[in-house]
Amino acid sequence: MSDKTQKIAVYALGAFMTFAGVSHMSFSREEFQAQVPNWIPFFSKDAVVLGSGVAEIGLGLGLLALPKKRREVGMALAAFYTAIFPGNIAQYAERRSAFGLDTDRKRFIRLLLQAPSSPQPYTPQGSPPKTRNYPPTTNNHNSGLAAAIGKAIVGGTTTTVLYS
């Protein structure tokens, strides 16, 4: 992935996350509540949706406004996506309709699209400029959506950190 393509992807993701956060707090609030599992303790579904909306706005704005903190924001975003994935599973398991996902088949296809997959398609050819290579890990099971997002934001492979 070229530097220009990477920057476009980061800004597009930042705009998407900011928009998604705003939608959590306004016009899609009830639909997002359908994704909150019944087993979430201590908080109402509305509080969870509002809190995740605030997190998405913060992460989106972080991607847009903090280019020197891209790695940290990217890692936080990957952790966020990992944390909310059980909500997508709950929507399927509890047969909740939202966002046009009104059949088990549609909900299952969504899970397949968001489930862990090989990171290879997301790995750019070669290393981006100004990189520092760390020793590779021995347990490299970095796959799935979180790893792909981290790679798109940070650049390179899982053992490469991009410095701006």
Side-chain angles (χ1 to χ4, degrees), residues 41-125:
F42 309 116
F43 300 105
S44 70
K45 290 182 179 204
D46 194 48
V48 172
V49 169
L50 291 173
S52 63
V54 168
E56 286 181 319
I57 290 170
L59 291 165
L61 293 176
L63 288 175
L64 295 171
L66 301 171
K68 292 189 182 213
K69 295 290 183 179
R70 184 183 298 165
R71 181 177 194 278
E72 291 84 354
V73 175
M75 298 306 278
L77 183 58
F80 176 78
Y81 279 137
T82 302
I84 64 169
F85 190 68
N88 298 327
I89 295 170
Q91 184 180 7
Y92 171 75
E94 297 169 9
R95 296 182 163 176
R96 295 184 182 182
S97 296
F99 300 109
L101 303 172
D102 53 2
T103 66
D104 285 345
R105 182 176 185 201
K106 289 178 183 178
R107 289 184 284 264
F108 185 71
I109 289 170
R110 179 184 188 204
L111 283 178
L112 290 178
L113 295 174
Q114 292 182 335
S117 62
S118 170
Q120 189 58 39
Y122 306 103
T123 304
Q125 299 298 321

